[in-house]
Amino acid sequence: MYWFWSLSSKIRRKINSCSGWRRFLLCFSLLLIIFHLFSVLELRNNSAIQGSQKKRNNKSDHLVLGPAAGQGLPNRLQCQGSRALNKTHLLNPSSASNVGESVAFVTVFTIYNTSLDSHADSRSSNLVTVGNVSYSKTQRSMAILNIFINFIQVTMPRSSVIILTDPESDLSLQRDKVSLYPIEGEYSRDKLMLQRIRSYITFLNTRLNGLAQHPQHKNHYIFTDSDIAVVDDLKHIFHKFPNFHLALTFRNNKDQPLNSGFIAVRGTPESILRAKIFLEEVLEVYTSKYMNASRMLGDQLALAWIIKSHPSFDLRRFRKAQAFVEEVGGASVLFLPCATYNWTPPEGAGQFRGMPLDVKVVHFKGSRKRLMLESWNFFSSTSDISDMLCLILTSGRTKYDF
C-alpha cells in the first residue's frame, strides 16, 4: 500500500499548488483515481479469496461418476453407471485349492503417530469424511490396511496376512488370520521403500530357516503394498506357472516397466533362496545408484536396471500384456502383466483402454486412497465385485483425491 499513499501525497501537493477551477478539476480527478484504485484492490482481494477457496475445495467429498473407459472394446468391463453389463472372470476359490499349500500376503506397514487419537492428527482441519465416517490421517491409514485385509478375506478366505512392521510402531490390530511381524530397521518416510526391501529379505531368510525345520509345509508368499484390493483368487498363479521362483508385474513403460507393489514367491526352499538373492541384488543397486529416489521409485528403478542389464532379456516383451517366464541372474522370474495383476485406476475418467475382464488386483496408488475406501463401502452394500469395479472404473482422479 506504500505506493498508493505515496501517489496520493504527490497529488495533494499538486492540488495545493493550484487555485480555482484547476483545483476543482484536480480534486475530481483524484477522486476518480482513488475510486479506481480501490476497485482494483477489491477485485484482486476477491480473486485471491475465491482462488484460495477453490484450491481448498477441489477435493470432492463424494464420488462423481464419469464415462467408463473401454466402452465397446472386447474383453473389457462394460458399465452403465456403477452397474456392470458383463461380469469379470472370477475364479471359484475351491478350484485353485491344494491340500498342504497355502498363500500368505505380506505387507510392510507402520504408523508415525504415537497414538491414533493424538490431538494434532485429530483436528477438524485434518479430517476427511468418507461415507458417514470422518478419518484423521492416521485413521485413514489404518482404514486402508483393514480394507486390504477385508478384500483378501472375501476373495481368498483361506489365506493369511503378515504385516512386517517397526517394533516401535504403535500398531494394534486384532484380526483373524492376521499377524504382526516386527523387524528392526529405518521406517522413516524417506527410507520406507528402502526398508521394505530389507524387510522382505529378512522375512524370506527366516522362512528359509523355518523350512529347514518343517519341510513338509509349503506356504507361498505374495508381497504387496497395503493399498491394493485382491478381487479374484490368486492361488492359481502357483499352479498355472509351476516353474518360477518369483513373479513380478510389468507394464509397457520404458523407464519404469516393473512395479514393486506385487511380488510373488513360491514356497519351496530353492525359490525362497533365489528370491532372497534377487532382492539382495535389488537392494545393492538401489543403495548404490538410486538413493536420490529413496522416498519413492528407487526400488522400481533398481528392478528395471537389473532386468535391462541382463544380456539376453528382450524388453520388447513388455509391449504385450501376456505372462512369460525368463531366467534372470539364476532365478526363474515370472512376469505378469499389470493390466491383470496390478491394475491401477485411470487418473481421469475415459483414459486408457478400460479394465480387463480378468483383472485380479486393483492398486490404489498415491491419491487414490479415498476410492479404495469408497469401493469397499460400495461392495459392502452390494456384495457384487463386478459392480464395484465399475464404480472404480468410472471415477475420475480429482473426484477421489485425499
Side-chain angles (χ1 to χ4, degrees):
M1 293 293 294
Y2 172 79
W3 61 271
F4 172 75
W5 295 115
S6 176
L7 178 63
S8 299
S9 298
K10 291 179 181 179
I11 294 175
R12 287 198 302 271
R13 287 196 297 271
K14 184 68 175 176
I15 292 174
N16 292 333
S17 65
C18 299
S19 61
W21 64 271
R22 289 183 178 179
R23 177 175 293 184
F24 171 78
L25 289 177
L26 285 173
C27 287
F28 184 73
S29 299
L30 175 61
L31 289 174
L32 289 177
I33 291 172
I34 292 174
F35 178 78
H36 176 71
L37 289 175
F38 272 111
S39 298
V40 171
L41 288 173
E42 184 177 5
L43 179 63
R44 289 177 62 184
N45 289 335
N46 289 339
S47 298
I49 293 172
Q50 291 175 0
S52 176
Q53 291 176 341
K54 184 177 180 181
K55 186 175 181 180
R56 289 198 304 267
N57 296 333
N58 65 352
K59 297 179 181 181
S60 177
D61 60 358
H62 64 281
L63 296 181
V64 179
L65 302 184
Q71 292 185 24
L73 295 178
N75 300 320
R76 292 296 188 272
L77 184 64
Q78 303 297 306
C79 304
Q80 187 176 63
S82 59
R83 184 171 66 88
L85 301 180
N86 54 356
K87 300 296 182 179
T88 53
H89 300 162
L90 301 179
L91 292 176
N92 181 353
S94 63
S95 66
S97 64
N98 191 18
V99 176
E101 294 187 14
S102 58
V103 175
F105 286 84
V106 185
T107 191
V108 172
F109 183 87
T110 188
I111 54 176
Y112 298 98
N113 296 80
T114 57
S115 171
L116 294 181
D117 299 319
S118 65
H119 176 71
D121 197 41
S122 300
R123 290 180 300 185
S124 59
S125 60
N126 294 329
L127 296 179
V128 171
T129 301
V130 180
N132 297 320
V133 182
S134 293
Y135 300 94
S136 67
K137 189 172 183 180
T138 303
Q139 290 167 342
R140 282 184 317 217
S141 297
M142 289 300 299
I144 292 294
L145 179 65
N146 275 290
I147 290 172
F148 163 74
I149 297 168
N150 291 348
F151 276 114
I152 291 172
Q153 293 185 342
V154 166
T155 55
M156 300 180 65
R158 299 179 183 178
S159 296
S160 60
V161 176
I162 301 170
I163 302 172
L164 311 182
T165 189
D166 183 356
E168 301 299 322
S169 177
D170 185 13
L171 182 60
S172 178
L173 192 68
Q174 302 294 327
R175 296 289 301 269
D176 187 37
K177 295 185 178 181
V178 177
S179 59
L180 300 180
Y181 196 105
I183 295 177
E184 295 285 349
E186 188 175 1
Y187 289 83
S188 65
R189 295 183 190 278
D190 287 341
K191 300 293 179 61
L192 187 58
M193 294 298 98
L194 193 64
Q195 179 59 44
R196 181 172 68 171
I197 299 296
R198 290 182 173 137
S199 295
Y200 288 175
I201 293 170
T202 299
F203 177 80
L204 288 173
N205 194 53
T206 59
R207 286 304 184 256
L208 193 60
N209 294 333
L211 272 179
Q213 301 176 11
H214 305 283
Q216 72 280 3
H217 182 69
K218 183 185 292 185
N219 201 64
H220 306 300
Y221 301 101
I222 299 179
F223 297 84
T224 74
D225 293 345
S226 58
D227 56 357
I228 72 162
V230 178
V231 297
D232 202 353
D233 197 300
L234 297 174
K235 197 172 183 180
H236 71 280
I237 295 173
F238 302 97
H239 303 280
K240 184 177 180 181
F241 307 97
N243 299 317
F244 75 91
H245 295 132
L246 73 151
L248 304 172
T249 55
F250 72 90
R251 58 206 169 193
N252 186 20
N253 184 306
K254 182 180 179 181
D255 297 322
Q256 298 171 37
L258 301 169
N259 183 270
S260 58
F262 183 102
I263 302 174
V265 177
R266 188 178 296 280
T268 64
E270 182 183 7
S271 295
I272 294 176
L273 176 61
R274 295 290 184 184
K276 183 176 85 76
I277 294 173
F278 182 88
L279 290 177
E280 286 173 342
E281 185 178 359
V282 172
L283 181 62
E284 181 181 356
V285 173
Y286 195 163
T287 55
S288 63
K289 296 181 180 296
Y290 299 110
M291 282 303 292
N292 60 331
S294 61
R295 185 181 180 93
M296 189 178 296
L297 302 180
D299 51 348
Q300 299 188 43
L301 295 172
L303 279 171
W305 189 92
I306 291 171
I307 298 303
K308 291 178 180 180
S309 299
H310 199 267
S312 64
F313 194 88
D314 186 358
L315 293 174
R316 291 175 297 182
R317 303 193 74 172
F318 288 153
R319 297 176 185 175
K320 295 184 178 180
Q322 297 177 354
F324 63 95
V325 177
E326 185 81 18
E327 293 292 324
V328 179
S332 179
V333 182
L334 169 64
F335 293 90
L336 298 167
C338 283
T340 299
Y341 295 94
N342 202 342
W343 188 85
T344 300
E347 292 189 336
Q351 295 184 10
F352 302 130
R353 294 176 60 84
M355 181 185 292
L357 281 173
D358 60 350
V359 65
K360 314 293 183 193
V361 175
V362 178
H363 194 169
F364 297 90
K365 299 176 189 174
S367 59
R368 299 164 175 86
K369 304 298 186 289
R370 171 186 287 277
L371 182 56
M372 186 173 179
L373 297 176
E374 297 273 9
S375 300
W376 175 255
N377 290 344
F378 183 81
F379 175 75
S380 298
S381 65
T382 63
S383 299
D384 192 308
I385 289 277
S386 295
D387 286 352
M388 182 200 71
L389 293 177
C390 276
L391 180 78
I392 296 171
L393 180 62
T394 57
S395 299
R397 178 181 180 186
T398 57
K399 310 300 189 301
Y400 53 75
D401 270 357
F402 270 135

